[in-house]
Amino acid sequence: AQTVTQSQPEMSVQEAETVTLSCTYDTSESNYYLFWYKQPPSRQMILVIRQEAYKQQNATENRFSVNFQKAAKSFSLKISDSQLGDTAMYFCAFLQYNFNKFYFGSGTKLNVKP
Amino acid sequence: GAVVSQHPSWVICKSGTSVKIECRSLDFQATTMFWYRQFPKQSLMLMATSNEGSKATYEQGVEKDKFLINHASLTLSTLTVTSAHPEDSSFYICSAREDLNGELFFGEGSRLTVL
């Protein structure tokens, strides 16, 4: 079975600064997808960024980028120029290649301080 | 963009009654939908995978007879919590996988409170 581990239950960052959220996973598969989702107080899950395991290039989406280390099974999220609206729970997720199951980490609560 | 609608967003019921939650993909077809349960300040726990036209696949420890899932069309899956009890109170979230590109979209969630 796949496991996704987020070792930082809570983090804080000053507005405009950069923060990195950690995620490691365990799998025997070679093809899969990795995601970061944001869950604000509204509880709606919002896709932040996704990475296909077969791609070596790290995904980027505006202020969000990942550091994908396939051999180390690590998938960290970097948020640059943090904004107050980034305050939320962030979940790392793993999706099997055949889209059969979707596993979530335990989440990291990010507080962006003014 | 693609939207997944869940209804109701909030429901309160008496112990022993059954509650149905709908998950609908509004502008795309989804052969596969997923149902999750989320306790306060915790992660999403996959309950079952719902496949259109076939039986749902339940995760270990999830009671099939307690949480009935029906996926009657390519845009609708329902979760029925049968004979609900206070311990079933939780936040239930569905997600739908778009058939065209495999993209996954989440519903807004449904908060169930059983008195």
Side-chain angles (χ1 to χ4, degrees):
Chain A
Q2 276 67 226
T3 58
V4 180
T5 303
Q6 291 179 250
S7 58
Q8 305 151 314
E10 190 164 354
M11 295 188 72
S12 294
V13 63
Q14 289 295 131
E15 195 175 6
E17 293 188 348
T18 297
V19 65
T20 299
L21 279 58
S22 302
C23 173
T24 58
Y25 58 95
D26 186 25
T27 183
S28 57
E29 300 185 15
S30 57
N31 291 321
Y32 48 88
Y33 299 83
L34 295 164
F35 302 81
W36 278 98
Y37 278 89
K38 168 184 177 180
Q39 188 181 43
S42 67
R43 307 294 289 272
Q44 172 73 58
M45 296 288 281
I46 301 168
L47 176 64
V48 174
I49 198 164
R50 65 180 276 173
Q51 172 85 42
E52 289 85 352
Y54 64 86
K55 288 187 178 178
Q56 293 185 333
Q57 188 173 4
N58 289 326
T60 61
E61 281 290 340
N62 301 315
R63 297 183 295 108
F64 301 90
S65 61
V66 298
N67 184 1
F68 174 47
Q69 302 290 327
K70 191 172 183 179
K73 296 179 182 175
S74 170
F75 183 62
S76 61
L77 173 69
K78 185 171 84 170
I79 305 175
S80 304
D81 186 26
S82 297
Q83 300 177 359
L84 295 178
D86 295 334
T87 293
M89 281 289 289
Y90 286 81
F91 293 99
C92 178
F94 173 101
L95 177 65
Q96 290 181 332
Y97 184 69
N98 61 0
F99 305 125
N100 190 31
K101 290 188 180 181
F102 205 80
Y103 299 91
F104 284 88
S106 54
T108 297
K109 184 178 180 182
L110 177 66
N111 298 304
V112 180
K113 299 181 178 180
Chain B
V3 178
V4 173
S5 174
Q6 259 185 262
H7 178 80
S9 56
W10 198 311
V11 57
I12 301 173
C13 69
K14 291 183 179 179
S15 186
T17 61
S18 294
V19 175
K20 181 186 283 188
I21 300 171
E22 290 188 350
C23 179
R24 197 179 296 271
S25 57
L26 297 184
D27 53 2
F28 64 95
Q29 291 186 333
T31 302
T32 302
M33 294 186 180
F34 301 93
W35 285 96
Y36 301 86
R37 185 173 180 175
Q38 186 179 30
F39 291 103
K41 298 183 180 180
Q42 293 190 27
S43 186
L44 281 71
M45 182 191 77
L46 179 62
M47 298 175 65
T49 302
S50 171
N51 297 297
E52 188 269 337
S54 63
K55 291 184 179 180
T57 304
Y58 289 82
E59 294 298 298
Q60 193 172 7
V62 178
E63 298 176 61
K64 300 179 183 181
D65 297 330
K66 176 75 172 175
F67 299 99
L68 299 179
I69 291 172
N70 183 274
H71 196 150
S73 77
L74 290 173
T75 59
L76 176 65
S77 175
T78 61
L79 168 70
T80 302
V81 183
T82 62
S83 186
H85 291 285
E87 57 265 29
D88 298 325
S89 298
S90 191
F91 193 69
Y92 293 89
I93 302 177
C94 76
S95 66
R97 194 190 89 203
E98 185 171 3
D99 286 348
L100 211 57
N101 59 16
E103 197 79 32
L104 200 67
F105 299 95
F106 284 83
E108 314 97 319
S110 300
R111 182 179 300 282
L112 170 63
T113 300
V114 185
L115 303 176

